[in-house]
Amino acid sequence: QKEVEQDPGPLSVPEGAIVSLNCTYSNSAFQYFMWYRQYSRKGPELLMYTYSSGNKEDGRFTAQVDKSSKYISLFIRDSQPSDSATYLCAMSGVVYNFNKFYFGSGTKLNVKP
Amino acid sequence: GAVVSQHPSRVICKSGTSVKIECRSLDFQATTMFWYRQFPKQSLMLMATSNEGSKATYEQGVEKDKFLINHASLTLSTLTVTSAHPEDSSFYICSVTTGHTGELFFGEGSRLTVL
């Protein structure tokens, strides 16, 4: 079983739609949860960072962490064509001695004008 | 967030030559940097963890003599692909962690093409 599972998509939505991206994980020690956006031929860009459970909102983006279910989500409101990219979830579990982050395989999102 | 600069963004080289990729942390001192490799339409594969002033820790299956990593200062880590071959062609990305917050920031990536 992979540490982190993420549906690779592709996910195609019309402009203005609400997008829901999800990851599940198996290690209950994970405490730090991140979502990255990666455009083609570019490095991943940190979108959202959450510690432990709960919600975090930043503009059109909302990240949710449900540690009891080992499930994290990223919601994108009023999606735009510029949101078309691959979205990676990532997580880690140790504060000062971590040397490895676990990544989902990425979900490719296409927002159609 | 941290700014990570990676250079060059693209490099084309002949088979058998060596290529060096630089990764710089521009706005904070990074004791730990990571090097990843990414194949088309695949996720990130951790190659090694680079610690300032000490030897890098390589992941299983990654050749230490092929992928030389040096972390000579708190702001610079380099990856040298030695005697490159076409199968080494890939997208290489470095990242840094702030340590105390758990956030991980990536460079822009370097696309290596070996002819």
Side-chain angles (χ1 to χ4, degrees), chain A residues 36-113:
Chain A
Y36 291 88
R37 177 175 62 196
Q38 186 176 23
Y39 292 113
S40 181
R41 300 174 184 270
K42 298 290 185 182
E45 171 194 3
L46 181 62
L47 276 180
M48 300 291 284
Y49 165 77
T50 310
Y51 170 69
S52 194
S53 284
N55 295 355
K56 185 174 184 179
E57 187 174 324
D58 184 0
R60 295 185 295 112
F61 299 91
T62 300
Q64 289 185 351
V65 175
D66 181 348
K67 291 190 71 178
S68 62
S69 302
K70 298 189 180 67
Y71 188 87
I72 68 171
S73 301
L74 177 70
F75 297 96
I76 306 174
R77 292 183 297 280
D78 187 25
S79 57
Q80 303 295 310
S82 59
D83 295 327
S84 298
T86 296
Y87 290 80
L88 295 161
C89 62
M91 47 201 78
S92 68
V94 182
V95 177
Y96 291 110
N97 198 31
F98 48 66
N99 62 358
K100 191 179 292 186
F101 288 72
Y102 295 89
F103 291 88
S105 55
T107 300
K108 186 173 175 63
L109 172 66
N110 180 33
V111 181
K112 299 174 291 184

Side-chain angles (χ1 to χ4, degrees), chain B residues 30-33 50-53 69-78:
Chain B
T31 55
T32 303
M33 292 185 176
S50 169
N51 297 296
E52 188 266 337
I69 292 172
N70 182 276
H71 193 157
S73 76
L74 289 171
T75 59
L76 174 64
S77 177
T78 60

Side-chain angles (χ1 to χ4, degrees), chain B residues 51-79:
Chain B
N51 297 296
E52 188 266 337
S54 64
K55 291 183 178 180
T57 302
Y58 289 82
E59 295 299 300
Q60 190 173 6
V62 178
E63 298 178 62
K64 300 178 183 181
D65 296 331
K66 159 69 79 174
F67 300 101
L68 300 179
I69 292 172
N70 182 276
H71 193 157
S73 76
L74 289 171
T75 59
L76 174 64
S77 177
T78 60
L79 167 66

Side-chain angles (χ1 to χ4, degrees), chain B residues 5 16 40 45 49 56 74 76 80 86 97 102:
Chain B
S5 175
M45 183 189 82
T49 302
L74 289 171
L76 174 64
T80 301
T97 178

